[in-house]
Amino acid sequence: MTANSRCSAAEPPGLETQRREIESLLRECELRAGDSWYVVEHRWFEQWKEFVDGGDQNSSSFPGQIDNSDLFEDLDSYHLKERLVENEDFVLVPAEAWHKLLAWYGMVDSQPPLERKVVDLPSTLKVEVYPVEVFLCLHSNMENVITAQFSRTDNIQSIQRAMCQSFSVPSGSECRLWMKSSDTNCERLRNIHMSVLDTCLSSGMTVIMETRNADGTWPSSRPQIMRNSVEDQDSYRGQPGVCGLTNLGNTCFMNSALQCLSNTPPLTEYFLQSSYLEELNFTNPLGMKGEIAEAYADVIKQMWSGRHYSVVPRVFKTKVGHFASQFLGYQQHDSQELLSFLLDGLHEDLNRVKNKEYIELRDADGRPDQEVAEEAWRNHRRRNDSVIVDTFHGLFKSTLVCPECHKVSVTFDPFCYLSIPLPVSKERVMEVFFVSLDPHAKPVQHRVVVPKAGKVSDLCLALSEMTAVPPTQMVVADVFNHRFYRIYSDDESLSCILDRDDIFVYELSVLEEQDQVLLALYLRERSHYRDYGSGSSSYGTTLFGHPLLLNVRRSSCSQEELYNLFLQRLARYVRPPDPSEELEEEEEEDDEEELYRTQTNGISDGIVCSCSPNHQNVSLDQLSGLSSHLARCVSSDEQQEAADELRPSQTELSCSETADANVDLEPAAEPSESTEEEKEENKQEEACSPSPPPNEQPAKRRACHKRRKSLFTIQAVNSNGTTERGTGEGGSAVSFSSQPYVAIDWDPDMKKRFYNENEAEKYVKHSSMEVPQQQATVQLQECIELFTTVETLEEENPWYCPVCKKHQLATKKLDLWSLPEVLIIHLKRFSYTKFTREKLDSIVEFPLRDLDFSGCLLRKSLSNGEPPSCYDLIAVSNHYGGLRDGHYTSYAMNKDNGQWYYFDDSKVTFATEDQIVTNAAYVLFYHRQDKMRKPTLANPSTGPAPSRSANDITSCKDDDAELGAASYVTMETD
């Protein structure tokens, strides 16, 4: 650094003084919300430390002016690089230390100081190195967008001032701001004194400013812009609670859970009566400062106002993601997981206990169950007292027995919902096609029962019992797009085979093991004409029909022997030529003399073949192909005439081209092994590239001889049937170095004459297919009994025995002791083990009325004043689809009119009771009969419920359902 740069700053104190002052500030300064800290480039700061530690004012380690150049992406925008690491790329210094360093050393010209605020996040204080970067624009001109950065501690008013200055908004104009987080939805930033953090404004969002019109209206209130506004819905009066929820993008899981809770009468009435306002707990460290409760209250009040067809729960979604990072973004999640979080969050936000006392839990130690249960419930209420506990919490008894010392431990634990298992079948039904060795037999479709954890050999064994074919003579393959996607070995697991796969089982002939080879046979159809434009004279080919697997002798793999074998194997749908049919072709012998040498600029005039509908041009460079083409296309008397007429001008030929049966197989590069991902891609989209046949010789004169023409030609190919490969050992048509694949190539005319497509596609159904496949059905009572059976703890979750003084795999039994007013039952449809993952689609028969738990309760007799145990169904959360995808909806009964409705995001329709019990039922809500109130309104007559398509409210895309896109910005009502 030059002397001039050094003199630009004030004269600093001595080096020891500098070191002492800065180190003291770094050591003693604590983080306080709202304080400013500064980012300093790490290398500069380390050099300064070396300078002051040396104690030499004239040292060469003098750091010079503060220079943060290495922290910026470029020196035009001064945008901070992403993913900078503290104490590696930069250091943070408090404001007082920064100002001292700046006064002593100055800063490189034009560089902005990197001031950052300390923000108070939900669980920690931290310096906000990366502030929120948002886009700003005016409602009147949304094309003009600027980027600005704000601290999460800045309030909305500071954003409004910055926007007025940036867009030259006239002084005194009345403004309001909207936060836009998707293409179609906005929400109002009502409180300008709230911080950026509290409003959940995050990087990538857009803030829109609008100014009041001269007529006193707001631009966003116009119907074409604000379709969900008060003005637009003033005329609508609907049944309270019969209200859709807009899908914000994969948020059907949240909408389903909210609809079920919305139709839980005691909880909804608690919020509609604003009872929550008196019980909001802002100090509970386990809570969310009342924000989840307030956001939920806003949704419920909108849904039960009777003024909305559908509500946009964006604020609620943002709050949930803010306090539960697993729900951030717009990925699909589980409605039961959302329910669990929400019930816990509402409980802590509404907990009437402000200071939780520590209570040591006691074991039963032989005391009576009633005494231990009352003590456990009393202790629970001393720490947990809310509307959620009042409504949803029950008590079960947990009994653990040590397998070694037989110590019995009894505790009573509260629960908010019951997660009950479904009986898991150990068997699986598979549908497969059996291809017999008899060439005249059609494939037979079978339905077999196999062990769910079985192997491919088990499938063959089950099929053997139906076909009387030994399983050792079977091979199983997955067929996709006319090719073998996978050929299975006997010891592979059946879990590799999905229900949607097309599985073929082929019967094989019995040969000596050392002399046999399993040959995979594809059928291909060649295009009429060669693809000369690709730089080669290759024919394009397309796979068709069903591939075959054959056991052949290694010594019988010549072209002629395979031709006869294939012809025999395809006898059912390939007609052999009639002796009277003329199937002769010309066999050519090359002459050394070239037919033509004359070319103009290396390009000859074309020759037109009249058999082509496009009269495809062929250059004289490809006369080698044409000479054979002529030989095959015209009679011997016509050959000389056609040859004499070949000139640089165009000549028309009539032909019906067929292939040479004795084509030599040219070596080709072996394709690299495909990865599983590539195989999956190949299975998802067919990619049939042309197969290049052998390269033809340069154009020469040929002598012609007559010979018998073949129906098809044989070509060694790769596993996809697209790339040709070299010949095998001893001139055989296949290579034995790996799984051999061959293709028989059909000329289109020959295929049309001798290949019967209708017959080739035929199959028959075995009697096993006629038996209707019964869907597994279980009773809810069976699942509850399974929940209360004795089980052994897993190795990952052992129990510490206080007697043995070590962890043990104890036996555990759960029993129901007391039940809540509203009982939530979660059906554990998603089964996860060490080896398998699956969704259980069993139909669980659950009653809509009179679900009686008296036989399940451990307490057989109820004392005076204790509630009965009979329940009626009030709501169901449904899940359609599989493990990785799916769609959530819900059924719910309106508390005011007793009518059932079906809620599918923003669409709501009437439902009947016979529609509710399906294999999609996932979470059940039951209300205890003694607490249920009679409907205050008459049940509406059947017919379409008040509903609109999603485009009338807002639009979004769900994981299963895709709704129409809207071209306007929807803003939430004031």
Side-chain angles (χ1 to χ4, degrees), residues 26 35 104 154 183 212 214-215 240 243 445 477 493 498 518 656 684 691 694 706 844 853 910 953:
L26 290 175
D35 282 0
W104 297 338
D154 289 339
D183 291 338
R212 189 183 291 274
D215 62 0
C243 176
Q445 187 180 22
S493 172
L498 305 179
L518 183 64
S656 174
Q684 294 301 323
S691 300
K706 297 267 187 157
V844 178
F853 278 90
F910 282 120
I953 311 299

Side-chain angles (χ1 to χ4, degrees), residues 624-656:
S624 63
L626 280 173
S627 61
S628 60
H629 184 75
L630 280 169
R632 290 191 295 270
C633 295
V634 298
S635 67
S636 58
D637 294 333
E638 296 170 317
Q639 289 174 22
Q640 185 62 43
E641 180 183 353
D644 291 340
E645 291 180 357
L646 285 175
R647 295 292 183 269
S649 59
Q650 292 184 338
T651 303
E652 290 193 351
L653 304 174
S654 296
C655 67
S656 174

Side-chain angles (χ1 to χ4, degrees), residues 588-591 624 627-628 696-698 700-704:
E588 302 133 356
E589 294 180 357
D590 296 341
D591 193 348
S624 63
S627 61
S628 60
E696 308 233 355
Q697 300 296 324
K700 298 178 181 179
R701 294 187 185 276
R702 301 176 187 271
C704 301

Side-chain angles (χ1 to χ4, degrees), residues 808-866:
Q808 299 279 19
L809 299 183
T811 59
K812 180 179 181 179
K813 189 178 189 305
L814 293 177
D815 292 290
L816 298 176
W817 181 264
S818 63
L819 299 176
E821 177 180 346
V822 175
L823 177 62
I824 300 176
I825 300 177
H826 165 224
L827 303 176
K828 297 173 69 173
R829 291 197 175 275
F830 299 101
S831 172
Y832 300 97
T833 68
K834 293 180 181 179
F835 309 104
T836 61
R837 291 186 175 188
E838 62 179 329
K839 182 194 174 187
L840 305 177
D841 286 321
S842 307
I843 294 179
V844 178
E845 295 280 359
F846 52 89
L848 273 64
R849 295 179 185 83
D850 301 323
L851 175 60
D852 190 356
F853 278 90
S854 58
C856 302
L857 285 174
L858 196 60
R859 262 184 319 174
K860 299 302 180 184
S861 59
L862 299 176
S863 58
N864 292 334
E866 292 185 338

Side-chain angles (χ1 to χ4, degrees), residues 213-353:
N213 296 321
D215 62 0
T217 63
W218 293 100
S220 59
S221 298
R222 294 173 183 167
Q224 68 270 22
I225 297 174
M226 195 171 180
R227 300 295 298 272
N228 200 27
S229 66
V230 172
E231 294 87 345
D232 187 39
Q233 296 202 353
D234 263 350
S235 60
Y236 174 73
R237 292 293 183 273
Q239 172 63 42
V242 183
C243 176
L245 289 168
T246 299
N247 193 307
L248 307 174
N250 284 339
T251 56
C252 57
F253 74 96
M254 181 184 76
N255 294 346
S256 174
L258 284 175
Q259 291 289 7
C260 291
L261 281 181
S262 168
N263 286 279
T264 301
L267 186 64
T268 293
E269 289 172 1
Y270 172 85
F271 280 97
L272 292 180
Q273 295 167 5
S274 297
S275 302
Y276 71 98
L277 292 175
E278 299 176 1
E279 296 183 347
L280 284 171
N281 189 333
F282 298 103
T283 60
N284 186 355
L286 300 178
M288 299 159 202
K289 301 181 180 178
E291 293 185 33
I292 287 294
E294 289 183 324
Y296 179 77
D298 290 343
V299 173
I300 291 299
K301 288 188 174 183
Q302 291 180 60
M303 293 175 68
W304 287 84
S305 68
R307 294 173 178 254
H308 299 284
Y309 303 104
S310 180
V311 167
V312 184
R314 183 168 301 280
V315 175
F316 177 80
K317 166 68 173 65
T318 306
K319 294 292 185 185
V320 168
H322 178 67
F323 290 106
S325 58
Q326 67 268 30
F327 297 112
L328 275 173
Y330 295 92
Q331 301 298 315
Q332 181 61 278
H333 294 283
D334 187 287
S335 67
Q336 188 270 334
E337 290 179 3
L338 189 278
L339 272 170
S340 177
F341 161 77
L342 184 54
L343 290 172
D344 184 64
L346 290 175
H347 161 65
E348 297 296 356
D349 269 3
L350 300 168
N351 198 343
R352 302 171 187 121
V353 178

Side-chain angles (χ1 to χ4, degrees), residues 433 443-447 763-770:
F433 290 91
V444 183
Q445 187 180 22
H446 292 260
R447 183 176 288 159
Y763 69 95
V764 296
K765 290 189 176 184
H766 187 262
S767 57
S768 60
M769 295 296 298
E770 298 175 1

